[in-house]
Amino acid sequence: MSHNHSELADKFASNVERMKWHDKALWFVRVKRDTQAKSLDEWEELRNTADKIKSHTLSHLDEYLEQFEKNALARGIRVHWAKDAKEHNEIVLDLLRSHNAKMIVKSKSMLTEECHLNPYLEEHGIEVVDTDLGERIVQLRNEPPSHIVLPAIHLKKEDVGTTFEKFLNTQKGNSDPTYLTRAARAHLREKFVGADASMTGVNFAIAETGGIVVCTNEGNADLGASLPKLHIACMGIEKIIPRLKDLSIFTRLLARSATGQPVTTYTSHYHGAVEGGEMHVVIVDNGRSKILADKRYVKSLQCIRCGACLNTCPIYRRSGGYSYGYVIPGPIGSTLAPSRDLKKYYSLPFACSLCFSCSNICPVKVDLAEQLYLKRQDVVDAGYLSPIKLNALKMATWLMCRPKLMDFAGLMARKMVPILPRVLLYSKFNLWGKNRELPPFPKNSFKELYKAKKGIK
Ligand code: SF4
């Protein structure tokens, strides 16, 4: 069944108060990111270098993956290859069964969300405990993350208080963040100590060393990977970077772009198992090779999942993560999801105002807005666009190809719209008037203003 972003966005936006604080909370993170970016004179140089490293790596991906495997094996790390989500889940289950694991602690991993690992393991009798605080909150509520870095950003502290009351027996009505964090800490400590195995995601896998790097703010990956004897790390094929020295470029960009911090609190390097234990890395394709082969969309594989494009996106901020219906929301999700299934996710490339803020902010220069524009053309070519939208676009094209008529239409709009009765302007038939007030119309068109400024007659 096709997914309809605008219907779900409408649902989210119907709670105006929630929409406003969601928007504000994410904009706050975006502003923090700007402050950090501006604090580094070499910010643009870092972005250019990161872009070059990623693009070089993707064009030599086979070589770097093999180099990573060779070096990881030399360190005693066992490497597994999974062509899709099913194989990934089966490999993980086999490993857990071979260690008789009944409960695992897992740090944040969007890949395991993508593979729907939690329900799969639970169906097979294994308890999975997400240990990132935001992830644990949404897990207890049986909800998916609504943001790739801030999984519970759609919830208020009162929602967390009620959730903890129900599952962690906290005091009724107490939503004090410190109190709730301490309750979560005590709850998770028990889980860490009792876990039979741990799972982590991978932020960067270094081909040169055969080790992996995981960035967290809570130290949950470290504790999880240090206590049980079995550590399984899962990564998409695109997580490779060639050399250890490349890492500093990405760590400087990642935390600043994600949360506006100079660096994540923990940048943990795993280059082997704990004493007497085992470390496994599962390398997953799951559709990435298909994207790799398409030069229009290959740059989406450069993504380091910082979430900055979500925080800056005016659509994401006002429509919430669940309106995308895909594990990764926002601009990056809107290009990745249709690359997987265009028919199902054809509405996502239109969840975009083409303001280009995402392309301008991305630390690794993924050409997000350009990709979304191309994806729209794919949707039209595939015949998935609704006849109403298609005809509206045809009319707009017809009008825009006739400059004199376009000027006249603009003039009429500037004269007529301000005097139209409110009841007509904001009727249910005018979707553009929903939840927004039109700005005052200018007296002159852009063309007239431009000519006047440049002194063109
Ligand atoms: S596309 Fe760029 S901005 Fe968006 S999550 Fe990925 S790295 Fe961050």
Side-chain angles (χ1 to χ4, degrees):
M1 206 179 106
S2 295
H3 168 81
N4 190 326
H5 175 270
S6 55
E7 269 174 22
L8 292 167
D10 195 21
K11 208 168 140 197
F12 182 84
S14 64
N15 183 339
V16 177
E17 194 221 342
R18 179 180 56 177
M19 181 187 69
K20 284 189 174 161
W21 65 251
H22 189 263
D23 178 19
K24 215 166 133 192
L26 289 155
W27 189 249
F28 175 74
V29 186
R30 154 79 211 248
V31 172
K32 274 176 76 191
R33 169 264 172 215
D34 288 351
T35 310
Q36 283 298 330
K38 282 180 198 146
S39 73
L40 290 184
D41 291 342
E42 67 275 30
W43 182 255
E44 287 307 315
E45 203 182 326
L46 284 171
R47 288 180 75 217
N48 286 333
T49 312
D51 179 21
K52 278 188 197 143
I53 296 170
K54 278 283 179 183
S55 131
H56 164 82
T57 314
L58 288 172
S59 60
H60 296 76
L61 198 55
D62 52 341
E63 292 163 33
Y64 287 121
L65 282 167
E66 280 174 12
Q67 188 189 356
F68 172 79
E69 181 184 39
K70 186 169 147 268
N71 290 329
L73 290 173
R75 291 176 175 277
I77 300 170
R78 300 186 205 172
V79 179
H80 310 259
W81 299 85
K83 75 169 186 296
D84 54 22
K86 184 172 174 284
E87 266 191 27
H88 164 265
N89 292 351
E90 286 167 359
I91 291 168
V92 173
L93 180 64
D94 280 352
L95 285 169
L96 295 174
R97 278 191 172 152
S98 66
H99 287 75
N100 205 21
K102 295 278 180 285
M103 195 263 277
I104 67 163
V105 281
K106 181 161 78 68
S107 71
K108 208 140 91 52
S109 152
M110 289 316 294
L111 177 65
T112 58
E113 293 290 335
E114 176 188 318
C115 297
H116 304 291
L117 180 72
N118 286 17
Y120 176 82
L121 290 181
E122 276 152 16
E123 266 167 36
H124 290 85
I126 292 169
E127 185 192 355
V128 185
V129 178
D130 281 319
T131 57
D132 171 272
L133 181 54
E135 291 235 316
R136 186 61 178 154
I137 294 167
V138 290
Q139 187 185 31
L140 289 172
R141 295 170 64 91
N142 202 18
E143 291 171 356
S146 71
H147 185 289
I148 56 178
V149 174
L150 312 159
I153 190 70
H154 59 293
L155 299 172
K156 285 187 138 179
K157 63 182 187 334
E158 289 76 18
D159 300 318
V160 179
T162 333
T163 308
F164 281 13
E165 230 172 271
K166 186 170 168 197
F167 295 100
L168 309 187
N169 289 321
T170 53
Q171 290 163 2
K172 196 169 167 42
N174 193 339
S175 56
D176 173 61
T178 308
Y179 169 71
L180 295 177
T181 310
R182 287 197 176 133
R185 189 171 186 263
H187 159 72
L188 287 171
R189 286 280 143 155
E190 267 179 38
K191 300 290 183 186
F192 279 121
V193 173
D196 304 307
S198 78
M199 282 192 75
T200 63
V202 172
N203 286 96
F204 306 101
I206 308 163
E208 179 186 51
T209 65
I212 62 158
V213 176
V214 181
C215 303
T216 71
N217 273 329
E218 297 167 24
N220 54 315
D222 308 58
L223 196 53
S226 309
L227 293 175
K229 293 290 180 205
L230 174 63
H231 172 197
I232 307 169
C234 302
M235 59 175 264
I237 53 173
E238 80 284 14
K239 292 289 173 180
I240 288 278
I241 55 170
R243 302 158 302 179
L244 183 60
K245 74 173 187 184
D246 300 326
L247 185 65
S248 63
I249 306 289
F250 294 101
T251 48
R252 296 182 81 195
L253 288 165
L254 177 61
R256 286 182 169 90
S257 301
T259 49
Q261 294 165 260
V263 72
T264 44
T265 314
Y266 299 87
T267 300
S268 311
H269 295 236
Y270 300 98
H271 279 77
V274 291
E275 209 178 318
E278 281 179 29
M279 179 174 166
H280 296 256
V281 176
V282 188
I283 303 176
V284 187
D285 185 323
N286 204 31
R288 287 162 175 77
S289 296
K290 194 177 129 207
I291 302 175
L292 189 66
D294 189 336
K295 67 174 189 288
R296 295 173 307 159
Y297 301 122
V298 67
K299 265 174 117 56
S300 61
L301 293 179
Q302 294 191 183
C303 174
I304 54 170
R305 302 286 189 266
C306 72
C309 58
L310 283 66
N311 305 341
T312 200
C313 176
I315 313 295
Y316 173 84
R317 284 189 275 117
R318 291 173 181 85
S319 64
Y322 296 151
S323 61
Y324 292 79
Y326 184 62
V327 61
I328 299 176
I332 182 65
S334 296
T335 182
L336 288 174
S339 287
R340 281 182 189 283
D341 188 340
L342 189 64
K343 192 170 183 187
K344 184 170 178 190
Y345 296 109
Y346 79 88
S347 72
L348 294 188
F350 296 91
C352 169
S353 63
L354 290 182
C355 68
F356 277 64
S357 182
C358 50
S359 293
N360 291 333
I361 205 174
C362 176
V364 285
K365 296 195 138 184
V366 177
D367 50 349
L368 291 154
E370 291 87 343
Q371 292 199 15
L372 293 174
Y373 178 60
L374 287 173
K375 284 273 183 224
R376 291 181 183 191
Q377 294 165 37
D378 291 353
V379 171
V380 174
D381 291 346
Y384 296 144
L385 206 60
S386 76
I388 297 179
K389 206 163 195 163
L390 196 61
N391 285 326
L393 288 176
K394 278 186 184 159
M395 272 170 64
T397 311
W398 183 85
L399 187 64
M400 285 175 188
C401 289
R402 288 161 180 80
K404 288 218 163 73
L405 209 53
M406 179 78 189
D407 289 349
F408 180 69
L411 179 71
M412 290 317 285
R414 289 196 303 281
K415 289 213 176 304
M416 299 304 293
V417 175
I419 55 169
L420 280 179
R422 235 191 122 72
V423 64
L424 201 66
L425 207 51
Y426 295 98
S427 77
K428 65 176 180 181
F429 299 108
N430 178 22
L431 297 179
W432 284 97
K434 244 183 172 181
N435 290 322
R436 63 159 83 83
E437 285 288 323
L438 286 176
F441 271 56
K443 282 203 177 63
N444 300 91
S445 69
F446 173 78
K447 206 160 137 186
E448 286 162 355
L449 293 172
Y450 184 82
K451 278 185 174 173
K453 188 160 185 190
K454 296 278 173 189
I456 304 168
K457 298 261 180 232

